[in-house]
Amino acid sequence: MNAYLGEIVALITAVCWSFTSLLFTVAGKQVGSRLVNRVRLLLAMPFLAIAHLLLQGEVLPIHAELSRWGWLGSSAIIGLVMGDGLLFYAFTLIGTRLSMLLMTLAPVISTLLAWVFLDETLSLVEIGAVIVTLSSVAWVVSERGNSGPANSDPRNYVIGVLCGIGGAFGQALGLILSKQGMAGGFPALSASLIRVSVAVVVIWLWALAQGQVRPTIEGLRNRRARRAIVGGSLAGPFVGMTLSLAAVQLTHVGIASTLMSLSPVLLLPLVHWIFKERISQRAIVGTVAAMVGVAMILWT
């Protein structure tokens, strides 16, 4: 079993992220996506700080170079604040399943951005993978009668899809910036803590400027939303992120990344059981095909 420990950890990570998206969807419907994004980052920060203290010997990586803080801070603003904010809003408009399917575009966008800005070449396999993923996602999203909160409002459906794509773009660009910030073997846990810390400061200063601090605190009186946010923060930014780092250490990065990106597939039965959403054959085939495209990119 030890021979497949990394693969098992990666699969558990995908399960954690699947339940995280479901919990944040429930919370977002109750109190709004912006509140969810603010609170989940605030809750994740102390968990990461404790883990960093135990593993790295300090609460915050204060000795990291300013350039790393710059790269990772920019990554946090684009990925965690803006990208995840758009994703959580998409949860409330088009549902968990379609939102997470759109997030499979992140590796495609990362590959294209690296090709444009980092002069990384694209092989024929990668070009084919991009085409497979894009066409599969478009095929599922364009299906008539897609279940979801915005089903009766075409305008909200379009906005939800655009937010999902924006979330994928934020994650992809954030990943590239993070890669620059971790150059030279900088610990991934330290990088994660820097990103979350910067995101917490930015998002709460913005909330303060907009007068949203008190409404956020009042929104937490909603017991169902509060439990969902706490559960999602534990399953995702803390447990999921920690397990993802362990998976990468225990097995090949391509294998771990592929298995961890299976959330959209795992969500197919979950949204059917939990939200009573109808899953068509087209949705199943398109989702699996999109995952094949992602796997082709990650394995190249």
Side-chain angles (χ1 to χ4, degrees):
M1 181 166 177
N2 288 337
Y4 299 100
L5 183 58
E7 287 81 355
I8 294 172
V9 171
L11 283 173
I12 295 174
T13 302
V15 173
C16 285
W17 286 343
S18 297
F19 279 102
T20 295
S21 62
L22 290 171
L23 289 167
F24 285 156
T25 298
V26 170
K29 291 178 181 178
Q30 296 289 317
V31 295
S33 58
R34 293 182 181 179
L35 187 150
V36 173
N37 200 22
R38 292 185 203 115
V39 176
R40 63 108 190 188
L41 289 171
L42 189 62
L43 290 175
M45 186 175 173
F47 292 123
L48 287 170
I50 292 172
H52 195 268
L53 177 62
L54 294 174
L55 296 175
Q56 300 293 333
E58 56 183 358
V59 176
L60 285 172
I62 56 176
H63 300 296
E65 301 93 326
L66 286 177
S67 60
R68 293 193 189 279
W69 279 89
W71 284 112
L72 294 170
S74 300
S75 167
I77 295 171
I78 293 173
L80 297 179
V81 178
M82 300 172 63
D84 284 357
L86 290 170
L87 173 63
F88 292 165
Y89 190 44
F91 283 163
T92 65
L93 291 178
I94 59 175
T96 311
R97 176 179 62 84
L98 282 178
S99 298
M100 291 301 290
L101 176 62
L102 289 168
M103 291 303 289
T104 62
L105 296 176
V108 173
I109 296 172
S110 296
T111 301
L112 295 176
L113 288 175
W115 173 54
V116 174
F117 296 107
L118 302 180
D119 294 325
E120 293 186 4
T121 58
L122 291 179
S123 66
L124 289 177
V125 174
E126 287 177 317
I127 294 173
V130 168
I131 295 173
V132 168
T133 305
L134 289 176
S135 58
S136 299
V137 171
W139 190 49
V140 174
V141 170
S142 63
E143 181 181 12
R144 290 186 177 182
N146 257 317
S147 299
N151 201 23
S152 60
D153 191 335
R155 180 175 179 273
N156 280 349
Y157 185 81
V158 172
I159 293 174
V161 170
L162 292 176
C163 285
I165 295 173
F169 187 87
Q171 186 182 85
L173 185 54
L175 180 63
I176 290 178
L177 294 172
S178 294
K179 184 177 180 179
Q180 294 295 319
M182 290 191 296
F186 189 68
L189 181 59
S190 298
S192 297
L193 182 53
I194 289 176
R195 295 182 76 223
V196 170
S197 300
V198 172
V200 165
V201 172
V202 171
I203 205 167
W204 279 93
L205 284 176
W206 183 249
L208 180 64
Q210 291 188 314
Q212 291 297 311
V213 174
R214 174 172 287 185
T216 298
I217 296 173
E218 292 176 350
L220 291 176
R221 293 176 182 174
N222 186 310
R223 182 178 299 179
R224 187 183 183 192
R226 184 171 66 246
R227 290 177 176 175
I229 294 172
V230 171
S233 299
L234 286 172
F238 180 53
V239 177
M241 186 179 295
T242 303
L243 289 179
S244 69
L245 298 175
V248 171
Q249 289 178 330
L250 292 169
T251 189
H252 297 292
V253 174
I255 295 175
S257 299
T258 302
L259 294 174
M260 288 188 293
S261 65
L262 288 175
S263 294
V265 175
L266 299 177
L267 281 168
L268 289 172
L270 290 176
V271 296
H272 177 69
W273 293 332
I274 297 173
F275 296 137
K276 308 303 180 184
E277 185 176 326
R278 183 185 66 84
I279 308 298
S280 66
Q281 291 184 347
R282 178 170 173 173
I284 296 173
V285 173
T287 299
V288 173
M291 300 313 302
V292 171
V294 171
M296 289 168 63
I297 293 173
L298 296 173
W299 276 76
T300 301

